[in-house]
Amino acid sequence: MLSENAYALGANRSCIRDLFEYGCQRAALVGRENVYDYSLGNPSIPSPPEVNQAVRDILADTDSLLVHGYTSAVGDYAARKAISDDLNARYGAETAPEDFFLGCGAAPELVAVFRALAVPGGELLAVAPYFPEYKPFAQEAGLTFRVVPPDVPSFQIDLEAVKEMIGPHTQAILINSPNNPSGVVYTRQTLTALGSLLKEKAAQYGHPIYLISDEPYRELAYGVEVPFIPQIYPDTIICYSYSKSLSLPGERIGYIYVSREATDSQRLYAAVAGAARACGHVCAPSLWQKVIARCAGLRPDLQSYDRNRRALYEGLTAMGYEMAKPDGAFYLFIKAPGGDANRFSELAKQKDLLVVPGDGFGCPGYFRICYCVSYDLIQRSLPVFQTLMEAFPKA
Ligand code: PLP
């Protein structure tokens, strides 16, 4: 006998993976340069040189047993201190090393947090558009996954919908800003209003409603503020990752932050650690913890993403494509001409242009493009977007 849920998750590949695999097959037939693959969010800027230098230095200077040995489950103190110091310096925050739990990237960190909050009948509200993996993570944790409809066309947060959906069983609301797939950054105004609403509802129901902030794209913002949310709403839990900020997705390193100002913060931290333990977490990769101890203050050089972003936003908008202003991450989320994003994606595929329909992100009628690609590919793909637009009569 097998777990049917686990089987279904393993047997059905995600739509993004399907498109990516298709792109690889087409590349073998027609040449990589002739496939306009906007499907997958793999960073296309190298890690800052200091990161690789830190790896070399650590390997040269440190006892091999220490480099490769187990660390404490919560992570090396030096790394947690470096992260805490950096956040305090940047935001005037008052974090302490003890508030951090080093994890293996945002995905397993989210799983641990969901499991920590999974009381019987507990609900998680996810604001659409959202990262598709949230749903299996939450459901397998035992939380009821409920979707807050997207706030079209701005892709901020529909606070009226949140207000209506929060009930006595709401354990947490999950947000992601800068957002995958919309590229939108939630404004301080939006977050402040959300914080006030959550405070009001927590008082009404007599228990905390945690705000889970999934932040792998925190450092990828183009001239706009990304507020440090615990300063706005103390019952915030951050799941952070270096996958995108330092272009290290294969190394699996990040952290969970539980504010000491959060309700029941010590029990909450212990529950997160316990949930991670029950998922088999032993420690985050030891070498990469040591790298973070030296590199927590580094920021990515966003010039090439920014150039891509502007070329696509300006080029596509001029053709009549509609999208929210992409101020962060490396995605654009575009209204499908004709209204059916699956049909648009199929037509695009016939021209070797790979874009992901928004259904899996909780937002049908839109498609996502990931601009971690070369500038040259963008320039060559623009005429294809133009041809596709012309295939749809103006409304
Ligand atoms: N959350 C969002 C919104 C993402 O886009 C991703 C990866 O693309 C993740 C979480 C998982 O990131 P990680 O590599 O840190 O597990």
Side-chain angles (χ1 to χ4, degrees):
M1 297 257 281
L2 292 175
S3 151
E4 286 304 319
N5 286 351
Y7 170 74
L9 283 171
N12 301 319
R13 252 197 331 225
S14 80
C15 159
I16 300 174
R17 279 278 154 196
D18 272 347
L19 267 176
F20 177 71
E21 298 297 340
Y22 174 82
C24 293
Q25 286 166 17
R26 287 294 296 164
L29 283 175
V30 300
R32 174 55 63 200
E33 68 286 2
N34 295 315
V35 181
Y36 312 110
D37 185 353
Y38 287 105
S39 64
L40 205 63
N42 226 347
S44 61
I45 57 172
S47 307
E50 293 90 333
V51 169
N52 287 350
Q53 190 56 46
V55 173
R56 283 190 283 271
D57 291 347
I58 292 163
L59 290 176
D61 303 345
T62 318
D63 177 350
S64 169
L65 287 175
L66 272 179
V67 175
H68 302 300
Y70 293 127
T71 70
S72 85
V74 300
D76 265 349
Y77 184 82
R80 290 183 287 124
K81 168 109 173 56
I83 295 165
S84 171
D85 287 350
D86 179 54
L87 288 170
N88 294 350
R90 281 171 84 185
Y91 301 106
E94 293 183 354
T95 71
E98 292 73 19
D99 308 341
F100 294 85
F101 182 93
L102 299 192
C104 302
E109 291 157 13
L110 288 164
V111 169
V113 172
F114 294 172
R115 286 181 182 243
L117 297 177
V119 298
E123 292 178 354
L124 176 72
L125 304 188
V127 176
Y130 59 83
F131 182 54
E133 296 297 280
Y134 293 161
K135 191 173 172 182
F137 293 171
Q139 289 178 337
E140 287 296 297
L143 287 167
T144 301
F145 184 76
R146 298 182 65 208
V147 176
V148 179
D151 186 19
V152 174
S154 73
F155 290 110
Q156 292 287 316
I157 301 177
D158 182 344
L159 293 166
E160 277 308 308
V162 175
K163 191 172 184 176
E164 271 172 35
M165 289 179 71
I166 291 180
H169 302 293
T170 307
Q171 286 285 85
I173 182 164
L174 170 60
I175 63 171
N176 162 229
S177 171
N179 183 263
N180 173 9
S182 72
V184 163
V185 179
Y186 296 151
T187 61
R188 179 171 284 277
Q189 194 187 358
T190 297
L191 294 166
T192 304
L194 176 65
S196 305
L197 175 59
L198 296 179
K199 217 175 275 174
E200 185 190 308
K201 288 286 178 183
Q204 180 183 343
Y205 290 113
H207 62 78
I209 299 174
Y210 292 106
L211 173 56
I212 305 171
S213 180
D214 177 27
E215 301 189 358
Y217 302 97
R218 154 170 293 281
E219 323 307 346
L220 278 63
Y222 308 94
V224 295
E225 180 195 19
V226 182
F228 186 62
I229 301 176
Q231 290 174 320
I232 296 174
Y233 184 65
D235 276 349
T236 296
I237 307 166
I238 293 176
C239 294
Y240 184 91
S241 165
Y242 293 95
S243 292
K244 321 285 168 160
S245 60
L246 295 182
S247 295
L248 296 172
E251 307 298 356
R252 315 309 305 148
I253 183 82
Y255 62 78
I256 300 169
Y257 169 69
V258 176
S259 165
R260 264 165 312 142
E261 303 291 316
T263 311
D264 274 345
S265 65
Q266 284 187 352
R267 280 171 51 78
L268 175 61
Y269 184 95
V272 168
R277 176 182 171 195
C279 292
H281 171 90
V282 175
C283 62
S286 168
L287 169 63
W288 291 96
Q289 293 190 40
K290 291 173 179 46
V291 172
I292 296 307
R294 298 175 186 214
C295 297
L298 293 179
R299 307 283 170 261
D301 175 357
L302 298 177
Q303 275 182 58
S304 71
Y305 288 157
D306 194 21
R307 188 160 83 130
N308 288 357
R309 177 183 76 104
R310 281 185 283 117
L312 279 163
Y313 181 63
E314 284 158 21
L316 295 178
T317 307
M319 289 174 204
Y321 286 94
E322 294 170 41
M323 70 208 82
K325 188 135 179 293
D327 286 323
F330 39 51
Y331 306 100
L332 299 180
F333 202 47
I334 302 167
K335 194 168 175 185
D340 181 343
N342 287 289
R343 175 152 178 266
F344 183 87
S345 173
E346 272 308 313
L347 287 176
K349 206 168 153 188
Q350 288 166 20
K351 299 186 184 307
D352 288 323
L353 173 68
L354 307 183
V355 302
V356 182
D359 303 49
F361 302 104
C363 193
Y366 283 75
F367 64 89
R368 184 190 82 171
I369 64 181
C370 169
Y371 55 81
C372 302
V373 296
S374 71
Y375 187 70
D376 173 59
L377 181 138
I378 290 174
Q379 294 301 330
R380 287 183 296 105
S381 73
L382 285 174
V384 184
F385 279 106
Q386 178 73 53
T387 310
L388 283 163
M389 182 52 117
E390 285 162 7
F392 292 91
K394 294 261 171 305

